[in-house]
Amino acid sequence: MSVIRLENVGFTYQKGMPDEKTAVSEVSLTFKEGSFVGVIGHTGSGKSTLIQMLNGLIKPTAGSVFIDDEDIWSDTSKLRDKRFKVGLVLQYPEYQLFEETVKKDIAFGPRNLGLSEEEIEERIIEAAGYLHLSPELLERSPFDLSGGEKRRAAIAGVLAMRPDVLVLDEPTAGLDPKGRKDILEVIDNYHRKENKTIILVSHSMDDVARYADTVLVMNSGKVMYYDTVEEVFKHSSELRETGLNIPTVTDILLTLNERGIGVDTDIYTVEKAADTITAAVKREVHI
Amino acid sequence: MREYIDFYEEGIVSSLIKFDNVSFSYGKNSVLQDIDLSVEKGEFLAVLGYNGSGKSTMAKLINGILVPSSGKVYVDGMDTSDEKNLSEIRKKAGMVFQNPDNQIVATIVEEDVAFAPENLGLDPKEIRTRVDDAIKAVGLEKHIKDAPHKLSGGQKQRVAIAGVLAMRPMCIILDEPTAMLDPKGRSLVMNVINRLNRENGITVVLITHFMEEAVLADRIIVLANGKIAMEGTPRTIFSEKDKVTSLGLEVPPVTELAIKLSENGIKVSKDIIRPEELIEAITALKEDIH
Amino acid sequence: MRDITLGQYINGDSPIHRLDPRVRLILTLVYIIILFSFKSILQMILALVFILIAYAIVKIPLKMLLKSLKPIIPIVLFTSILNMFFISGDVVFSFWKISVTKQGLYYAALMSLRVICLLAGSSLLTYTSTPIELTGALESLFKPLTKLGFPVNDLAMMMTIALRFIPTLLEETDKIMAAQKSRGANLDTGKLFERIKALTPILIPLFVSAFRRADELALAMECRCYNGGEGRTRLNELRLKRSDLKATLVFCLFCVLLVLAGKI
């Protein structure tokens, strides 16, 4: 199990050039073991840069990234080993598929880890199991799969490396509702069974609210909130003001509240929203 | 036997787009079967369905990129299987695709928007007017000289829409135009599409995976296994939650909330599809009491 | 890397930026021809003064010009030294077995000035013209060749698309490299053969993606009524303006000056 800790991390593109642009600044936080963190923020809020710093793809221009209390940039020769502890699934990961068969493609990561053939085989079976990839499908060319299948095959390729921390950048982008739900269920199931840390970047506050236990809200390269889902949703009106897509039901509750109907607004699920509205309406009836 | 086209020419029917018993297959793979569909002038039609249900094929059949294996597709009375009509059909029914990067041709916004009118061999003055109008319609006046790769996804997709508008089409077919965009880009693009339909009277066929977008349409069809599985207004479609879910789709969260509320004994309609409606309904309940 | 511009376009609104790109292109070519056809040092100095005035008009700082000259300094020095030592004539001074002649010095100075002017002149073109302007200029200039069956329009379209997609594909390469590195791909170490092999996971997805993009682009172009270059018109037709004629005349004046300078 690994803990990632960021200390005063910042990143500036084109540093020192006239067109320098700060993507991330002064981020200090710890991703707790076994937590499921949802990361939200606008495009350009720095979240994509931030997650690429977690496995050393991008070197911060300020501050340090620690994995298990070791600065990952202190010894660059060990960087690759540390990278293996953090599995990163980038946006549209299906564009990384390249092998002749899905199976070989999933094996790419484990092989780079230097595992034995038996171990690799075992990893493939395990990853394929999580992502519902049938044995028949494993033998097919990754380029012949449907969009959703490609996406799952690509995620399997990262999962097979058994990272302690799994980071996913918008893993549901471009999929249909069922495809979206399937992927999220897979991640949730993996999290519950393996109890590994999950960091999920998403544009959908609904998804984050449903699956994550912790929320990281990024705004203009800085941490706006980093707390449990419940605590963060206590700031639902601030979130809305920042222009973030808060869950539809939360949005409705906020508006009802503004209209003088006494509903709770720190709610993000349909069930609880129905309860608070029901309670409020019934209260009004009894007055 | 008298065909659709005869009725069209006599003015008996006037659908802008007509699928007349259309089937389509790639080799042995049947993608669409016996589709009958009319889209009227000025209508906003949303097409839903899981990946692989035949939605994109349907879009490509409309402007003659694909030709039906059997049956006929007509656009403004023109048969898409007749090669002679293709240029005219493509002018009338413009297509916008999912990935904005792969449909922008030029390295400057205005040059890209000018691409279609240039192809049509129009006079430079006329092209200028069309380009300016199209860019204004999508609200990108400030970016007219920018390089497309420096724009955001939502802006790029609006460039693509402007590029189609410059043909002055009667109809725009959009194949998952917001799938690759962030929520902000998505809502900007949807605003443009909605406005083009309501204000400029452009017929819209929108293929989408987002239920919030489908709610804006006049009519929804749901494709499944190459057939039209459901058809109706957004309200009638989403009131059938079980059926919608079984077709791999979902109902908008507000509809789910309305259903829960009515199960809880609150008097709100189960076929609410927009947040405003629910808010109004609940506020009205309160006012009734006072 | 993202902003690939041939040379380095500097956004500006100088009179030279506003010239018809065809005029810019042709004048630059003529300038280069002049550099090679005139042989007096006075002419070269005039040519240098002329190009420096042009830089002043565009308001490009001299520092930038010097910076772009930096990489050619060794070449200039090398040719100068060769010229100095190996051209026979009136000896100015000599040491050991080498003697430097007047003629040698003269040629060294001439060559150096010529190379500097050559680079300054061609850089000015790329500083003031976007690749797309140059494509348009070439398309327009070669238009008469269309009648001979030369596919000028198609070539210009290919050029445009290339310019449009280079930044996109570079971005894509970055993304794929990041993805494969995340899966432990080792791109930085190993023997040459291993390194080439290590590129497979990058090159295959890149090619697949390029072909997919090409397919989609072709489809989108077809939907926008593209049927090859024939019958196409252009939004921004290149038309000579009064200022273009003025610039050309100023340039001619400069040429006359040069010829005169050669007679002194």
Side-chain angles (χ1 to χ4, degrees):
Chain A
M1 281 288 127
S2 290
V3 180
I4 305 181
R5 183 160 55 85
L6 305 179
E7 235 170 55
N8 251 324
V9 164
F11 186 78
T12 308
Y13 286 97
Q14 313 274 8
K15 202 168 175 133
M17 301 290 273
D19 54 345
E20 73 165 37
K21 202 177 141 257
T22 299
V24 172
S25 65
E26 296 162 37
V27 173
S28 294
L29 51 87
T30 305
F31 292 104
K32 272 182 252 140
E33 242 179 73
S35 59
F36 193 138
V37 184
V39 184
I40 47 179
H42 293 296
T43 305
S45 63
K47 51 191 188 347
S48 285
T49 311
L50 185 76
I51 58 161
Q52 291 194 48
M53 290 197 277
L54 299 182
N55 74 341
L57 278 179
I58 294 180
K59 186 179 180 179
T61 51
S64 312
V65 178
F66 296 91
I67 296 178
D68 293 332
D69 284 325
E70 260 185 277
D71 185 340
I72 61 169
W73 289 98
S74 62
D75 181 358
T76 42
S77 64
K78 286 190 194 152
L79 179 65
R80 200 161 157 255
D81 295 332
K82 295 202 184 89
R83 181 173 286 158
F84 293 144
K85 295 190 175 172
V86 181
L88 179 55
V89 180
L90 290 165
Q91 271 179 43
Y92 299 95
E94 56 274 29
Y95 295 157
Q96 73 188 28
L97 300 170
F98 70 100
E99 278 284 11
E100 290 156 60
T101 65
V102 174
K103 194 172 173 178
K104 280 188 187 167
D105 206 283
I106 298 175
F108 180 68
R111 191 152 284 136
N112 286 329
L113 288 173
L115 302 175
S116 69
E117 287 303 315
E118 299 90 80
E119 177 82 350
I120 292 173
E121 185 72 16
E122 200 180 296
R123 296 278 183 103
I124 294 170
I125 292 168
E126 183 195 60
Y130 272 117
L131 285 138
H132 312 302
L133 302 169
S134 66
E136 178 268 328
L137 191 144
L138 287 180
E139 299 303 330
R140 276 164 51 196
S141 159
F143 301 109
D144 292 340
L145 307 181
S146 75
E149 286 166 343
K150 276 186 193 166
R151 181 74 53 93
R152 282 188 277 132
I155 296 176
V158 175
L159 218 64
M161 297 175 75
R162 283 204 194 140
D164 289 342
V165 179
L166 182 64
V167 188
L168 305 106
D169 192 357
E170 286 180 56
T172 61
L175 297 179
D176 62 8
K178 191 170 174 299
R180 290 200 285 263
K181 202 164 170 242
D182 285 350
I183 298 274
L184 290 167
E185 293 291 332
V186 163
I187 298 166
D188 190 45
N189 179 37
Y190 176 77
H191 176 245
R192 267 185 280 150
K193 280 201 182 140
E194 305 280 333
N195 200 32
K196 300 214 166 156
T197 313
I198 308 282
I199 299 172
L200 173 77
V201 177
S202 173
H203 278 313
S204 163
M205 195 84 89
D206 284 287
D207 291 345
V208 168
R210 186 167 308 154
Y211 295 100
D213 49 53
T214 312
V215 183
L216 169 60
V217 184
M218 293 290 293
N219 193 22
S220 314
K222 296 193 177 180
V223 176
M224 185 177 173
Y225 298 111
Y226 181 52
D227 214 326
T228 60
V229 178
E230 288 77 15
E231 284 301 314
V232 169
F233 276 99
K234 284 188 182 154
H235 303 282
S236 47
S237 67
E238 285 97 323
L239 291 173
R240 186 162 70 167
E241 271 162 38
T242 336
L244 285 166
N245 241 32
I246 59 173
T248 319
V249 292
T250 316
D251 199 26
I252 292 172
L253 292 174
L254 280 172
T255 313
L256 284 175
N257 212 305
E258 284 159 14
R259 300 255 181 115
I261 295 166
V263 289
D264 299 333
T265 56
D266 55 345
I267 279 169
Y268 42 87
T269 62
V270 171
E271 291 73 20
K272 284 191 180 153
D275 292 343
T276 182
I277 295 176
T278 309
V281 171
K282 287 197 172 147
R283 241 189 347 261
E284 305 276 354
V285 174
H286 289 305
I287 290 168
Chain B
M1 199 178 86
R2 277 157 64 84
E3 286 189 16
Y4 170 78
I5 192 70
D6 302 319
F7 295 110
Y8 188 89
E9 270 158 15
E10 288 162 27
I12 298 169
V13 288
S14 66
S15 311
L16 182 59
I17 300 168
K18 170 78 185 167
F19 278 64
D20 197 2
N21 202 18
V22 170
S23 298
F24 183 83
S25 39
Y26 281 108
K28 278 183 188 165
N29 258 354
S30 168
V31 185
L32 289 174
Q33 296 124 37
D34 310 320
I35 301 283
D36 275 304
L37 174 73
S38 321
V39 184
E40 302 307 317
K41 281 179 190 140
E43 192 179 354
F44 184 163
L45 176 76
V47 182
L48 300 178
Y50 50 82
N51 281 338
S53 60
K55 303 187 305 295
S56 290
T57 305
M58 194 162 169
K60 285 176 189 158
L61 283 165
I62 297 178
N63 74 348
I65 293 291
L66 298 175
V67 177
S69 310
S70 71
K72 293 272 187 206
V73 177
Y74 300 97
V75 174
D76 197 23
M78 290 176 290
D79 183 347
T80 60
S81 60
D82 186 344
E83 196 100 1
K84 287 199 304 283
N85 293 333
L86 279 187
S87 166
E88 203 55 32
I89 286 174
R90 285 181 189 155
K91 241 185 328 185
K92 286 199 167 138
M95 280 271 267
V96 176
F97 298 91
Q98 189 186 92
N99 190 337
D101 270 329
N102 297 351
Q103 49 191 320
I104 293 177
V105 186
T107 53
I108 297 170
V109 168
E110 66 167 11
E111 297 250 355
D112 186 74
V113 176
F115 182 69
E118 286 178 343
N119 291 335
L120 297 173
L122 298 176
D123 182 71
K125 265 190 206 145
E126 169 72 10
I127 301 180
R128 171 51 65 191
T129 321
R130 286 185 177 209
V131 167
D132 289 346
D133 287 353
I135 288 181
K136 201 169 157 226
V138 299
L140 285 177
E141 295 95 324
K142 279 185 195 146
H143 299 280
I144 195 156
K145 296 277 184 192
D146 284 358
H149 72 270
K150 296 207 169 162
L151 301 179
S152 73
Q155 287 169 334
K156 280 189 232 176
Q157 199 57 292
R158 283 185 286 152
V159 172
I161 293 175
V164 164
L165 282 179
M167 297 193 288
R168 302 255 158 101
M170 298 171 80
C171 168
I172 300 187
I173 303 133
L174 304 107
D175 191 355
E176 295 186 39
T178 62
M180 301 181 77
L181 308 182
D182 62 2
K184 202 174 148 211
R186 210 182 286 156
S187 81
L188 282 172
V189 167
M190 279 316 295
N191 284 344
V192 166
I193 295 171
N194 210 17
R195 210 177 48 230
L196 289 175
N197 176 256
R198 307 289 166 202
E199 288 171 20
N200 303 24
I202 293 175
T203 309
V204 170
V205 177
L206 172 72
I207 295 173
T208 182
H209 285 317
F210 293 103
M211 305 305 136
E212 312 91 283
E213 294 173 2
V215 159
L216 300 171
D218 299 317
R219 184 160 60 117
I220 293 178
I221 60 170
V222 181
L223 287 183
N225 290 321
K227 290 192 169 136
I228 297 180
M230 289 177 89
E231 184 176 356
T233 61
R235 212 174 290 285
T236 54
I237 298 275
F238 290 122
S239 62
E240 292 185 63
K241 188 185 167 187
D242 294 337
K243 193 165 178 194
V244 167
T245 323
S246 74
L247 292 169
L249 305 174
E250 53 197 5
V251 300
V254 63
T255 311
E256 257 186 83
L257 181 57
I259 293 170
K260 283 258 155 57
L261 284 174
S262 77
E263 282 167 9
N264 281 0
I266 307 291
K267 280 188 193 127
V268 291
S269 164
K270 277 190 196 176
D271 59 4
I272 282 176
I273 51 170
R274 295 170 203 244
E276 308 87 79
E277 291 171 4
L278 185 68
I279 290 162
E280 288 309 322
I282 292 168
T283 325
L285 276 179
K286 185 191 166 191
E287 273 150 19
D288 280 352
I289 296 156
H290 289 295
Chain C
M1 275 256 276
R2 298 282 151 72
D3 304 313
I4 283 265
T5 42
L6 300 173
Q8 248 186 327
Y9 175 69
I10 297 170
N11 210 341
D13 192 31
S14 71
I16 295 183
H17 275 94
R18 283 194 297 266
L19 286 183
D20 187 312
R22 289 174 301 180
V23 172
R24 252 177 279 152
L25 186 68
I26 290 176
L27 294 189
T28 309
L29 286 175
V30 174
Y31 181 75
I32 290 170
I33 293 169
I34 284 175
L35 289 177
F36 281 100
S37 46
F38 288 150
K39 293 190 177 65
S40 103
I41 204 134
L42 186 61
Q43 286 172 324
M44 283 305 144
I45 292 173
L46 271 179
L48 183 67
V49 170
F50 180 77
I51 202 77
L52 287 179
I53 293 173
Y55 270 82
I57 294 172
V58 183
K59 291 196 182 105
I60 291 174
L62 209 58
K63 230 166 79 187
M64 206 159 165
L65 175 62
L66 292 177
K67 217 172 142 189
S68 70
L69 289 176
K70 228 178 176 176
I72 60 148
I73 287 174
I75 304 173
V76 171
L77 280 177
F78 183 70
T79 48
S80 303
I81 290 168
L82 279 185
N83 277 310
M84 268 191 320
F85 296 154
F86 296 106
I87 290 179
S88 55
D90 312 329
V91 176
V92 181
F93 62 90
S94 59
F95 58 94
W96 193 41
K97 280 178 192 168
I98 298 165
S99 50
V100 175
T101 64
K102 201 175 152 192
Q103 283 81 354
L105 279 177
Y106 189 82
Y107 273 103
L110 188 70
M111 282 298 286
S112 310
L113 275 174
R114 187 177 278 164
V115 174
I116 290 170
C117 288
L118 183 69
L119 202 90
S122 48
S123 300
L124 187 65
L125 178 68
T126 54
Y127 281 148
T128 54
S129 321
T130 59
I132 198 82
E133 277 180 321
L134 291 178
T135 309
L138 286 172
E139 182 183 10
S140 163
L141 289 171
F142 286 123
K143 205 161 212 168
L145 292 182
T146 319
K147 290 206 178 76
L148 301 173
F150 192 72
V152 176
N153 289 317
D154 293 347
L155 286 177
M157 179 56 70
M158 280 161 71
M159 183 76 188
T160 308
I161 290 173
L163 290 170
R164 155 73 187 79
F165 276 89
I166 286 169
T168 310
L169 289 177
L170 283 175
E171 206 173 305
E172 182 117 348
T173 312
D174 280 353
K175 281 186 194 155
I176 294 171
M177 278 175 76
Q180 306 301 36
K181 273 193 196 165
S182 298
R183 292 163 79 195
N186 200 346
L187 304 171
D188 312 316
T189 53
K191 296 201 185 82
L192 183 67
F193 178 70
E194 283 168 13
R195 280 206 202 186
I196 293 170
K197 217 179 126 195
L199 283 179
T200 322
I202 313 241
L203 291 180
I204 291 180
L206 198 57
F207 272 95
V208 170
S209 141
F211 284 125
R212 182 178 42 84
R213 285 183 192 279
D215 271 346
E216 288 181 19
L217 183 71
L219 189 63
M221 284 171 71
E222 206 181 323
C223 286
R224 285 163 76 186
C225 302
Y226 182 71
N227 289 311
E230 245 167 278
R232 262 172 72 75
T233 47
R234 299 305 300 267
L235 165 68
N236 297 315
E237 299 254 288
L238 293 172
R239 235 182 241 121
L240 290 180
K241 300 177 295 280
R242 198 173 284 240
S243 55
D244 295 310
L245 295 176
K246 279 185 191 159
T248 313
L249 280 177
V250 169
F251 188 80
C252 289
L253 214 62
F254 155 73
C255 294
V256 171
L257 262 173
L258 278 186
V259 173
L260 283 177
K263 291 192 172 155
I264 297 169

